[in-house]
Amino acid sequence: KQASLSEFYNPYIAFVGVMNDAKDGVSILIQAFYQIIKKYPKYKLYLVGPWNYDTPKHKALIERLDIKDKVFWKGEYKRDVIPAIINNAELLVLPRPDSKQAQGGFPTKLGEYLATGNPVCATTVGEIPDYLEDNKSVFFAEPGSVGSFAQAMERALSDKENAKQVGQEGKKVAEKHFNKDIQAKILYDFLKTLQGNDR
C-alpha cells in the first residue's frame, strides 16, 4: 500500500513490524496503551504491518477495550514510506516478549527506530540491554508485562525534554553500533586477523 502521511494524525505512537504476539508482543502493546490513554487522550497508536494470524485477535481486543478511535491497524506499506512513518512518530515502541528468537540477537527494526532520534520504548530481551541504557538511550520495560510497558510509555510521554534527550542518545548508539560502514570495518579487521592466524 502506498501512503500519504495525511493518513497518520499527529501526535502518534508507532509500531512497525509483524502483527504477532509471540514475536513482537502486539497484544501487550494494545493493553499497555489502553492503560495510559485517559491521561494522554490526544495520542493515537498506529500498528503498521501485514495481516498475521494474530490480527483478528488484535482487532477484537481493540473492539473490546472500546479504543477503535485511538488504535489503528494500518496494514502493510511500501518500504520507502516506512522511514516517514517512523520519523514523524512521537514515540516508537517494540514490546518484544522473551522468546528463543528474541534471545538470539538484536532486532533490525530497533536500530531503525533509534536512527530516527525519536524516543523508543523496548523490552530487556536478547542483546538489546547490551547496547542501551534505561532512561538514557531507551525507555525499558520488562518483557511480557503490560504494566511495565505502560510505565515505559508513560515515562516517555510525561517529560518531553527528557524523552528528546533519550531519543538523541539512542540515535548516537545506532550511529556507533549499527552503521554499515563501521560494522563493515569491524568485520574486515576481524577477517584480517583470521588470515594472519593461517600463516
Side-chain angles (χ1 to χ4, degrees):
K1 178 160 59 162
Q2 190 63 45
S4 76
L5 278 191
S6 60
E7 294 173 31
F8 291 77
Y9 295 97
N10 289 320
Y12 67 85
I13 297 166
F15 166 86
V16 179
V18 180
M19 298 294 127
N20 180 305
D21 287 341
K23 182 175 184 285
D24 280 342
V26 178
S27 287
I28 285 169
L29 171 59
I30 294 167
Q31 292 171 81
F33 180 74
Y34 173 70
Q35 286 191 2
I36 65 163
I37 194 56
K38 281 193 174 65
K39 195 168 175 188
Y40 300 97
K42 62 182 183 170
Y43 283 88
K44 296 191 175 355
L45 170 63
Y46 291 119
L47 308 170
V48 178
W51 192 96
N52 185 274
Y53 51 80
D54 281 340
T55 302
K57 182 164 75 169
H58 301 148
K59 291 173 115 175
L61 182 59
I62 291 163
E63 186 92 31
R64 184 164 58 77
L65 296 174
D66 195 21
I67 47 176
K68 291 193 304 293
D69 58 336
K70 299 288 180 193
V71 183
F72 303 90
W73 171 56
K74 302 294 280 181
E76 190 171 11
Y77 283 91
K78 289 189 175 168
R79 192 179 289 250
D80 59 353
V81 182
I82 299 297
I85 293 171
I86 62 176
N87 270 308
N88 287 318
E90 201 136 315
L91 180 63
L92 295 161
V93 287
L94 182 57
R96 184 164 280 212
D98 197 7
S99 65
K100 278 272 182 277
Q101 183 178 4
Q103 286 161 18
F106 191 98
T108 313
K109 167 175 37 206
L110 186 52
E112 291 166 357
Y113 278 6
L114 294 166
T116 65
N118 292 332
V120 175
C121 291
T123 47
T124 52
V125 294
E127 293 176 6
I128 297 173
D130 297 346
Y131 296 96
L132 298 167
E133 198 180 322
D134 187 36
N135 212 39
K136 186 174 178 210
S137 48
V138 71
F139 293 98
F140 266 145
E142 292 163 32
S145 168
V146 171
S148 181
F149 208 83
Q151 283 170 4
M153 289 197 288
E154 160 85 40
R155 286 187 290 137
L157 297 176
S158 64
D159 186 339
K160 288 270 180 72
E161 273 313 300
N162 183 52
K164 204 170 168 182
Q165 266 183 309
V166 169
Q168 287 308 308
E169 283 302 313
K171 185 177 184 178
K172 285 179 194 167
V173 171
E175 285 167 352
K176 182 179 176 189
H177 294 287
F178 313 122
N179 174 308
K180 67 178 173 18
D181 298 328
I182 290 170
Q183 289 306 316
K185 180 164 178 7
I186 291 168
L187 183 59
Y188 175 74
D189 291 344
F190 171 69
L191 293 173
K192 271 178 74 169
T193 65
L194 294 182
Q195 188 184 18
N197 291 342
D198 283 349
R199 287 182 184 151

